[in-house]
Each structure stands twice: as C-alpha cells, then as structure tokens.
C-alpha cells in the first residue's frame, strides 16, 4: 500500500542533504555511527518540517507528512538543535564517558538519542534512549534505531486518539497510513511489507489501558492491542535505566570537548558483569550488556552465560 510521494523541490533537497551531512559530522565527533534508516530519513527530507509548516501543517500532514508525525509527543531536532544538545548537555565529559547522538525530542524537552557506554567497541550498533532534561535517570528503549522506528509506528497504529483533537477519524487514518508508507519505504522489504499490511487494516475500536490501575478507554486503531503486543515481542526491547547528569546542572561545553575524557562522573550503576554474577539478575545483565556494547540478543546472552554458566 505504498503511497506515491512527490519529490522535494531542489531547495528542499539541498537542505535535506545539508542536514544529513551535519548529522554525519556530529556523529563523527561523538563516535557513534548513524544508522542507515535514520540517515535515509534525514537525507530524504522526512525529518524536516520546512518554512511553511506553521501555515500549512494540516495540509502537509495529510499529503506529505514528516516521519513519525502520527506518533504521540515526538518532534525531530534540526541540525542546530542536535548540536546544541550535544555541546551543552549530552557530551561524554559530563556524562561519565557515555556518548550520545541526539536526533529528536518530546514536548517536555527530553531527548531521543543514540547512545553507547564508555566501553563500547568500534562499529557497535547504538541503542535508542530517552534522556530526560531534568532528571538523573534515562532509559534505553530499543536495541537499535530500526526497532525503535518500528515500535513507534506500531504504537501509532494501535491508538489514533491523540490525533483526533485536530483531525477527524478518517483524516487520522489517512495520516497514519501515509506516515507508515513514507517511513517504511526506507526499511528492509520484509519490514516494510509487514507494517504496510497492518496499516491497511480497517480501523476498529479497541479498549486500551494505559497502566495496571488506569481506567480502560476506547480508541480507534488500525491494529489490536494483542497484535501490538505480539509485534513488539519480535523487537529487541531493553527497558534498561542508566544514570545521567540533568541538563540544568551543566554549563555549555566547548565544541572541542564534545568527545573529551569524562570529567564529571554520573552515579555508578551496576555493570553487566556484576549483574551476571547472580542468576537472579541474568535478564538485567543481558540488557545491560546490550546497552553497553549493542549487538543482538543471542550475543548478549552468550556473553552473560560465558561469564557465569550457573545463570543459564
């Protein structure tokens, strides 16, 4: 169900390529490789709202939406915002050696970032974390940007309600399908086909419960909560928390110190080795290994089990 798209005008295409080049430059500074999907989205102009956004956002959402526009509380950073976050807050010298490559934010100013621990090996696939601007603990959401992007689109399809303050049900469905089509077109074929098939399902009402004690609410959705859970189970999720220094506690870092040795130590967190020593915390050890080194789930399990065979 891939929707036809209109090629961007030359000026927009040039701006998108400049944005992609700026992302590459920042990634080189912080020592994190840009995932192919993220760079493709930036280079295609899918993360650029454009100078006409304020006056034409509604039309654009229903014709040529930016990636993840159907997702709740998500906003792409431009090149300057990424650089500012990396220099003023999310730089290794202030974060115990942990590296960050910010790419988006929520309405509160918390940053979506690629991140790697101080001991990560070269060419490691960086997981995605949500880093609060005013708290001392962040969370790894997914083991890769591809998994993060898939989860974002799945969650959007499972609940259209946040779009209905501004759009009708039919418009919300259209916007979500366009978003899935544009974003998934840059993914591997099997992932794209799977997401597009789900987006093509007829909208239906679903009962959603936001927490164990929350009151259920009825929402319009393209996939059921059961289907959402099944699809998320296929992804490499890692709800691992790690310590950070809040933005307001830091001064701006000089540009040359973005990748400097750690000068401010964040509170110590358990290492994957210490967690692996106790069979009861094997799962946490596996997640901690993935957050530190990246890689897939079998590799993390093998490392933990090699350290402590009794944890199997």
């Amino acid at each position: 169900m891939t929707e036809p798209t209109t090629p961007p005008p030359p000026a927009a295409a040039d701006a998108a390529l400049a944005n992609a080049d700026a992302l590459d430059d920042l990634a080189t500074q912080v020592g994190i490789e840009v995932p192919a999907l993220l760079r493709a989205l930036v280079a295609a102009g899918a993360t650029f709202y454009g100078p006409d956004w304020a006056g034409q956002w509604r039309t654009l959402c229903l014709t040529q939406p930016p990636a993840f526009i159907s997702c709740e509380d998500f906003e792409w950073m431009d090149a300057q915002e990424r650089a500012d976050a990396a220099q003023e807050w999310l730089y290794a010298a202030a974060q115990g050696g942990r590296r960050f490559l910010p790419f988006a934010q929520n309405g509160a100013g918390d940053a979506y970032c690629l991140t790697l621990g101080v001991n990560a090996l070269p060419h490691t696939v960086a997981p995605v974390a949500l880093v609060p601007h005013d708290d001392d603990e962040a969370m790894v959401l997914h083991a890769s940007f591809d998994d993060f992007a898939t989860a974002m689109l799945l969650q959007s399809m499972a609940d259209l309600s946040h779009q209905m303050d501004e759009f009708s049900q039919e418009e919300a469905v259209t916007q979500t399908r366009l978003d899935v089509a544009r974003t998934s077109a840059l993914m591997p074929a099997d992932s794209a086909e799977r997401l597009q098939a789900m987006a093509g399902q007829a909208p239906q009402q679903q009962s959603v419960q936001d927490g164990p004690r929350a009151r259920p609410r009825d929402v319009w959705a393209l996939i059921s909560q059961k289907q959402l859970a099944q699809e998320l189970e296929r992804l490499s999720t890692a709800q691992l928390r790690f310590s950070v220094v809040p933005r307001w506690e830091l001064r701006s870092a000089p540009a040359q110190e973005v990748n400097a040795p750690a000068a401010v130590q964040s509170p110590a967190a358990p290492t994957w080795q210490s967690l692996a020593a106790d069979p009861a915390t094997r799962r946490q050890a596996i997640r901690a290994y993935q957050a530190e080194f990246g890689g897939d789930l079998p590799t993390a399990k093998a490392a933990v089990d090699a350290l402590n065979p009794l944890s199997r």
Side-chain angles (χ1 to χ4, degrees):
M1 58 154 284
T2 302
E3 300 283 345
T5 58
T6 302
D14 290 345
L17 290 176
N19 192 11
D21 289 343
L23 179 64
D24 289 339
D25 291 344
L26 182 60
T28 299
Q29 291 180 51
V30 302
I32 293 178
E33 292 188 5
V34 180
L37 175 59
L38 175 57
R39 195 185 192 285
L41 288 168
V42 175
T47 69
F48 182 59
Y49 298 102
D52 299 328
W53 180 255
Q56 299 185 26
W57 63 270
R58 185 181 182 85
T59 300
L60 292 171
C61 283
L62 297 174
T63 56
Q64 189 79 359
F68 301 156
I69 196 64
S70 65
C71 302
E72 187 171 13
D73 200 15
F74 180 93
E75 180 181 342
W76 292 103
M77 290 180 175
D78 61 25
Q80 189 60 57
E81 290 169 328
R82 294 192 302 260
D84 288 346
Q87 292 180 4
E88 297 173 2
W89 170 33
L90 296 171
Y91 58 98
Q95 300 296 341
R98 177 173 283 275
R99 291 169 278 159
F100 296 90
L101 180 60
F103 59 86
Q105 60 192 339
N106 62 20
D110 305 330
Y112 288 99
C113 305
L114 298 165
T115 183
L116 287 173
V118 65
N119 296 318
L121 299 175
H123 310 298
T124 296
V125 175
V128 175
L130 179 62
V131 184
H133 71 287
D134 59 354
D135 201 352
D136 60 2
E137 192 173 64
M139 175 179 284
V140 172
L141 302 175
H142 292 279
S144 69
F145 183 81
D146 283 31
D147 283 354
F148 168 76
T150 299
M152 291 286 284
L153 295 176
L154 288 168
Q155 289 160 351
S156 175
M157 288 188 283
D159 183 357
L160 307 179
S161 60
H162 64 277
Q163 300 183 54
M164 293 190 183
D165 289 339
E166 304 289 350
F167 299 97
S168 67
Q169 176 198 322
E170 182 179 359
E171 289 171 332
V173 170
T174 296
Q175 178 176 238
T176 301
R177 287 175 173 166
L178 285 171
D179 191 3
V180 172
R182 186 180 193 189
T183 305
S184 65
L186 299 172
M187 295 179 173
D190 56 343
S191 298
E193 291 172 3
R194 192 175 189 88
L195 287 167
Q196 291 172 19
M198 286 185 280
Q201 296 175 166
Q204 54 187 298
Q205 275 202 315
Q206 296 286 331
S207 179
V208 173
Q209 191 169 5
D210 298 318
R213 302 180 64 182
R215 178 177 297 179
R217 55 190 178 90
D218 291 332
V219 303
W220 282 99
L222 294 171
I223 62 175
S224 68
Q225 290 296 298
K226 180 179 180 180
Q227 192 173 13
L228 172 65
Q230 290 173 338
E231 292 297 326
L232 290 177
E233 186 68 24
R234 297 161 55 92
L235 305 179
S236 300
T237 56
Q239 299 290 318
L240 175 77
R241 295 184 180 275
F242 60 90
S243 298
V244 292
V245 180
R247 183 171 194 160
W248 54 268
E249 290 186 2
L250 299 175
R251 295 180 179 179
S252 297
Q256 66 269 22
E257 293 185 5
V258 168
N259 209 22
V264 180
Q265 295 294 327
S266 56
T271 65
W272 72 270
Q273 294 95 332
S274 64
L275 292 168
D278 184 352
T281 55
R282 176 177 179 267
R283 180 173 296 180
Q284 293 95 316
I286 291 170
R287 291 174 176 171
Y289 182 95
Q290 285 187 292
E292 186 73 19
F293 297 106
D296 55 24
L297 187 59
T299 300
K301 287 181 177 178
V304 169
D305 292 342
L307 190 65
N308 183 6
L310 294 178
S311 68
R312 298 180 187 177

